[in-house]
């Protein structure tokens, strides 16, 4: 098979290969609703999914929805998330987020990007997670793995996550952008690891410009 010669071609080939490699890729943050995923994703900034998943069951049991969380103070949240980095700031974001949901959106998680990024603690990455995972809307979350792999594959030379997202969006069908991101993240965790990429085991090594094979 000929090597793709353009970023769009490499993105398409990457999407196809990773779909076969990780057909069941899912978000690894435990959640049962859009609200719970929003809380978990805010908590996951500079923290591991494993660490967040250990903390959220008790948190969700005590604050199961926006209404109950909106009635709390940050100090009420902190004991539940004290094992997570930046927990004091995150507790303020969670309370602020819940109060805005109640005041402006009737307690429901909105779907529009412009509404999501208004919420305390929510940037485009978090908004795209909510859109693609919980709401079934187009969204391509760009984390450190997506950034690194996109650069290694020469899909983009940008390093700013927003510019990377906007550059990748036209290359991936809208309904499949969330899955593309999830699979890039899994590949970055399992094979194309930051410190020592395992190029010999990579399903993209025949066309990746950075491959050492």
């Amino acid at each position: 098979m000929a090597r793709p010669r353009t970023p769009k071609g490499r993105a398409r080939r990457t999407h196809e290969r990773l779909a076969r490699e990780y057909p069941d890729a899912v978000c690894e943050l435990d959640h049962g609703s859009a609200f719970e995923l929003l809380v978990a994703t805010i908590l996951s900034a500079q923290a591991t999914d494993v660490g967040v998943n250990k903390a959220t069951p008790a948190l969700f049991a005590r604050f199961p929805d926006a209404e109950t969380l909106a009635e709390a103070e940050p100090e009420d949240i902190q004991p539940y998330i004290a094992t997570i980095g930046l927990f004091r700031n995150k507790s303020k974001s969670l309370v602020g987020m819940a109060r805005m949901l109640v005041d402006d959106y009737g307690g429901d998680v909105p779907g529009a990007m412009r509404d999501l990024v208004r919420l305390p603690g929510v940037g485009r990455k978090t908004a795209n997670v909510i859109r693609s995972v919980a709401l079934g809307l187009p969204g391509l979350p760009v984390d450190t793995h997506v950034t690194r792999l996109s650069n290694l594959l020469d899909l983009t030379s940008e390093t700013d996550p927003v510019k990377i997202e906007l550059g990748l969006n036209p290359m991936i069908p809208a309904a499949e952008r969330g899955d593309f991101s999830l699979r890039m993240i899994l590949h970055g965790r399992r094979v194309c690891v930051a410190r020592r990429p395992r190029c010999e085991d990579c399903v993209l090594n025949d066309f990746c410009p950075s491959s050492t094979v």
Side-chain angles (χ1 to χ4, degrees):
M1 185 180 294
R3 291 165 61 98
R5 302 173 67 178
T6 66
K8 185 174 182 179
R10 285 190 293 276
R12 186 185 307 114
R13 187 76 58 83
T14 297
H15 185 37
E16 293 169 353
R17 296 271 183 92
L18 294 186
R20 292 197 295 268
E21 189 74 3
Y22 310 108
D24 301 318
V26 295
C27 176
E28 296 187 345
L29 289 170
D30 295 339
H31 64 282
S33 66
F35 170 74
E36 289 187 354
L37 181 60
L38 180 54
V39 170
T41 308
I42 290 173
L43 291 176
S44 71
Q46 299 184 50
T48 66
D49 291 354
V50 171
V52 172
N53 289 340
K54 288 180 180 179
T56 50
L59 179 67
F60 293 154
R62 175 64 182 82
F63 305 103
D65 49 39
E67 287 78 9
T68 53
L69 188 58
E71 294 173 356
E73 296 297 332
E75 293 76 17
D76 301 324
I77 310 298
Q78 290 175 11
Y80 294 91
I81 62 172
T83 56
I84 297 173
L86 306 175
F87 71 94
R88 291 184 178 85
N89 287 336
K90 290 176 181 178
S91 66
K92 295 176 184 176
S93 293
L94 291 180
V95 171
M97 172 273 290
R99 290 175 179 174
M100 187 174 288
L101 287 184
V102 172
D103 292 344
D104 295 356
Y105 303 103
D108 296 325
V109 177
M113 176 66 72
R114 65 179 178 277
D115 294 325
L116 285 165
V117 296
R118 289 184 62 225
L119 300 171
V122 177
R124 285 189 68 91
K125 175 192 166 186
T126 295
N128 277 316
V129 170
I130 303 309
R131 283 173 57 85
S132 61
V133 175
L135 302 178
L137 297 170
L140 203 164
V142 176
D143 74 343
T144 56
H145 296 293
V146 175
T147 296
R148 182 167 50 81
L149 268 65
S150 295
N151 281 199
L152 289 172
L153 288 159
D154 198 20
L155 307 184
T156 177
S157 60
E158 300 287 353
T159 57
D160 177 74
V162 175
K163 291 181 179 179
I164 292 172
E165 176 200 342
L166 297 179
L168 291 177
N169 277 344
M171 303 181 190
I172 305 296
E176 300 170 23
R177 290 170 188 162
D179 288 336
F180 175 76
S181 173
L182 286 172
R183 289 165 179 153
M184 289 275 276
I185 291 168
L186 278 180
H187 196 62
R189 288 174 174 171
R190 297 180 180 179
V191 178
C192 191
V193 293
R195 291 187 178 180
R196 186 175 294 180
R198 292 169 33 225
C199 294
E200 66 278 7
D201 298 323
C202 180
V203 296
L204 313 176
N205 65 20
D206 61 317
F207 68 88
C208 175
S210 304
S211 175
T212 59
V213 175

